[in-house]
Amino acid sequence: MDCIFCQIAAGALPADRVYEDDDTLAFPDLRPRAPQHLLVIPKRHVESLASTQDDDWAAVAACLRTVQRVARDRGLEEGGYRVVANIGSDGGQTVNHLHWHVLGGRLMTWPPG
Ligand code: DGP
């Protein structure tokens, strides 16, 4: 298994598992870009939204439910937060396992870099 996020999901690499259920996992980003910066991943390996297949959509929906849950648990709903999925090289994706960044705790600017 050479995917970092698959190894984290399997418990073979350490991460602070702030939330998990059968299908999804949330943990802090190693290189936080905001006071609060979590990653939400499906436990099953899906490369990116670009390669999502019909039988992956339930996991995608479960991830978005987890995004909402962790943002709520962390008190981000009132002030707002940003959810980012980087797709492919132009999108800035560096780990080829589908994930959402949940960023909060500061004012986000637009457009992103
Ligand atoms: P992206 O660039 O969108 O593919 O985001 C990948 C993120 O994953 C990046 O912000 C850094 C983070 N990351 C990479 N390796 C690890 C790791 O081993 N543990 C954790 N917690 N985060 C990682």
Side-chain angles (χ1 to χ4, degrees):
M1 192 195 314
D2 56 5
C3 168
I4 295 170
F5 287 177
C6 281
Q7 291 179 50
I8 288 174
L13 275 181
D16 178 11
R17 305 168 86 91
V18 303
Y19 174 81
E20 75 177 301
D21 55 34
D22 289 347
D23 303 313
T24 73
L25 175 66
F27 54 95
D29 194 293
L30 198 60
R31 290 186 286 278
R33 305 296 189 182
Q36 301 215 48
H37 186 172
L38 296 177
L39 298 172
V40 172
I41 67 168
K43 287 185 172 176
R44 64 187 284 171
H45 185 80
V46 179
E47 285 231 346
S48 85
L49 271 185
S51 62
T52 299
Q53 305 290 314
D54 283 352
D55 60 351
D56 295 325
W57 289 110
V60 170
C63 283
L64 293 177
R65 186 179 54 208
T66 295
V67 166
Q68 183 202 50
R69 183 187 295 256
V70 296
R72 183 173 290 165
D73 289 350
R74 300 234 147 186
L76 296 176
E77 282 191 338
E78 190 180 345
Y81 57 96
R82 182 166 292 172
V83 181
V84 174
N86 296 323
I87 314 297
S89 53
D90 277 5
Q93 184 173 9
T94 59
V95 176
N96 292 326
H97 181 126
L98 181 59
H99 55 281
W100 283 264
H101 298 260
V102 182
L103 301 136
R106 68 167 170 81
L107 184 64
M108 302 293 156
T109 58
W110 192 263

